[in-house]
């Protein structure tokens, strides 16, 4: 891996995040009367502009690399290196002016995510994860906190409205077992977990562009992330997601989520 | 009113917000292992420090004014001028490092809120409302947007977990009638409404320190705010709260919330 993952790729991943920032920032809080146009429009424009900017850079610099983007589809998906892009994760936050959405950038090598970036373009906050290295938050080490008891845990769900009835019941069980909970947060919640400010983040079924970038960030900060059955997240199909700051909690969280403890 | 509300009081209200900022910022994201201490502690310290700083300034400068604070109680509640303070509205956000909590400062004159401030100490964002004047966001005019049709509206609930079963059913009806919804946001949601980025904000029963400051901000931005029965908010007892950016929506929203349309 070390030979395959040249430092150039890490620098390049940050260039992609910079490009997305430049594309997104002009559209933030550009509201207009909801009468004239649907209020999703600035999101759509910013979303596409950011993905186009990133795709252009990848195609120019690494024409052999694959690209899977939330907005504009997949190309060369079987390449050795594949970039998985979500220009705006948290479109409702973007649309309502909440600066807690994020740009997600992952580099997948032979099916495993080796670089992950969570970037908040408005607050200029960036989490960088590289497989096998400590994660960084704006250049400084990001570390999860110890929390070996669910009763002390701060729990986030970023999209609990997508839970089906049975998932909701199991999640509700987790709410009852934890200390505080927040039922929103988008990808920013995973960033807070990587900073040792939250202990558990749970998501219903998401696509790889929603979670690929999170893996190196969470793991490099000392946490654990996987599906609800404690397995590594798949990079080519949807999955439900659970992340913990303290890996000791992972089994207990997944036991509740997978229904073993209800 | 104009003679009673001297410009000094507006400048002084901003001084209070500055003092709260200074007290709160050092405690933000000061996390530590949840094992050693309950993770509410930095919130409690920051909350008390901010309220103490504001109370000290009020007592020094306007000893005849009353003070009602979320943390440290009420004094001279029957004074002509009463300051209503919530040093950290959104303690869960503060505790988990989400910069969308706020300091709420209201000045009530003869029972009516005449100055309101929503301050976000980390993002250094401040909404200032003065009765009868246009509201300001960091010194620039803040205006709600037109939205005369619920079907186009962006809806926030800041504390929907406090809804009882019947309130939840009515709120759910509103979710179904609107275009997008966010089920969190603390006082920041009201700020976004005042910026024309959201259209409806709903809250279950709150105390005056949760809503007094919102009134001059929302009204001065062109919106409407009241209880679920379309009445002005009381300054000395709890109330449920509804706010709209476009006053034309207020009747329809309150009809659903008060159960007239379910």
């Amino acid at each position: 891996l070390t030979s395959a993952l040249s430092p150039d790729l890490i620098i390049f991943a940050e260039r992609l995040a910079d490009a997305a920032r430049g594309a997104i920032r002009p559209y933030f809080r550009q509201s207009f009367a909801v009468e004239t146009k649907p209020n999703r429009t600035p999101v759509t424009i910013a979303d596409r502009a950011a993905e186009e900017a990133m795709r252009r850079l990848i195609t120019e610099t690494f024409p052999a690399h694959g690209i899977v983007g939330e907005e504009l589809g997949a190309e060369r998906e079987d390449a050795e290196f594949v970039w998985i892009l979500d220009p705006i994760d948290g479109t409702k936050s973007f649309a309502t002016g909440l600066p807690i959405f994020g740009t997600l950038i992952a580099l997948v090598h032979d099916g495993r995510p080796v670089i992950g970036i969570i970037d908040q373009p408005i607050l200029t906050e960036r989490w960088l994860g590289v497989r096998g290295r400590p994660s960084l938050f704006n250049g400084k080490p990001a570390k999860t906190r110890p929390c070996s008891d669910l009763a002390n845990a701060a729990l986030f769900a970023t999209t609990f409205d997508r839970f089906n009835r049975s998932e909701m019941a199991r999640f509700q069980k987790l709410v009852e077992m934890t200390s505080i909970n927040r039922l929103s947060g988008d990808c920013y919640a995973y960033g807070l977990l990587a900073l040792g400010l939250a202990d558990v983040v749970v998501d219903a079924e998401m696509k790889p562009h929603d979670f690929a970038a999170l893996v190196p960030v969470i793991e490099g900060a000392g946490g654990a992330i996987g599906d609800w059955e404690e397995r590594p997240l798949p990079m080519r199909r949807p999955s439900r997601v659970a992340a913990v700051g303290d890996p000791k909690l992972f089994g207990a969280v997944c036991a509740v989520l997978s229904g073993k403890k209800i």
Side-chain angles (χ1 to χ4, degrees), chain A:
Chain A
L1 174 74
T2 322
S3 59
L5 190 67
S6 77
D8 290 358
L9 284 170
I10 301 168
I11 292 164
F12 180 74
E14 294 222 51
R15 270 185 65 205
L16 294 180
D18 292 341
R21 266 191 197 177
I24 290 167
R25 288 176 60 96
Y27 296 101
F28 186 65
R29 295 191 177 172
Q30 295 312 301
S31 66
F32 34 78
V34 289
E35 249 79 18
T36 45
K37 290 182 193 178
N39 60 5
R40 285 176 203 87
T41 305
V43 185
T44 312
I45 299 169
D47 228 345
R48 294 192 139 244
E51 187 167 326
E52 277 161 10
M54 292 191 281
R55 294 181 92 105
R56 203 179 308 124
L57 277 172
I58 295 168
T59 308
E60 279 168 19
T61 318
F62 298 108
H65 286 193
I67 306 175
V68 179
E70 197 230 345
E71 292 292 316
L72 306 165
E75 44 188 320
R76 295 177 298 283
E77 231 183 319
D78 296 310
E80 183 188 357
F81 286 101
V82 179
W83 295 91
I84 303 188
L85 311 172
D86 188 355
I88 297 180
D89 177 83
T91 49
K92 283 188 197 175
S93 289
F94 184 93
T96 53
L98 270 175
I100 57 169
F101 64 92
T103 301
L104 298 176
I105 299 167
L107 178 61
V108 173
H109 180 240
D110 289 337
R112 290 169 82 176
V114 291
I115 298 177
I117 287 179
I118 305 171
D119 190 73
Q120 212 309 311
I122 308 308
L123 309 182
T124 64
E125 291 179 330
R126 182 175 298 168
W127 289 263
L128 168 67
V130 177
R131 191 170 169 77
R133 297 196 201 170
S135 294
L136 299 175
F137 173 65
N138 281 356
K140 288 177 198 155
K143 266 190 73 62
T144 62
R145 68 181 168 195
C147 175
S148 56
D149 187 352
L150 263 182
N152 294 327
L155 166 71
F156 276 77
T158 80
T159 54
F160 86 113
D161 46 347
R162 284 198 234 147
F163 290 167
N164 64 32
R165 192 180 295 259
S166 138
E167 289 169 345
M168 194 63 203
R170 288 176 262 159
F171 176 71
Q172 195 55 44
K173 175 94 179 148
L174 211 49
V175 166
E176 284 157 24
M177 295 169 78
T178 49
S179 141
I180 64 173
N181 64 81
R182 297 277 317 183
L183 303 178
S184 63
D186 310 321
C187 60
Y188 204 77
Y190 292 91
L192 295 173
L193 183 133
L195 292 178
L197 294 157
D199 305 293
V200 184
V201 187
V202 173
D203 261 300
E205 190 165 289
M206 299 208 294
K207 302 239 170 75
H209 63 249
D210 294 313
F211 57 69
L214 309 173
V215 177
V217 171
I218 299 295
E219 292 182 345
I225 183 168
D227 70 11
W228 288 14
E229 281 76 31
E230 290 188 70
R231 296 173 300 211
L233 291 168
M235 289 297 122
R236 299 202 43 183
R237 54 179 175 76
S239 176
R240 301 182 296 197
V241 178
V244 293
D246 188 331
K248 287 200 284 290
L249 273 189
F250 201 48
V253 166
C254 290
V256 176
L257 289 174
S258 64
K260 285 180 202 145
K261 261 199 187 171
I262 199 161

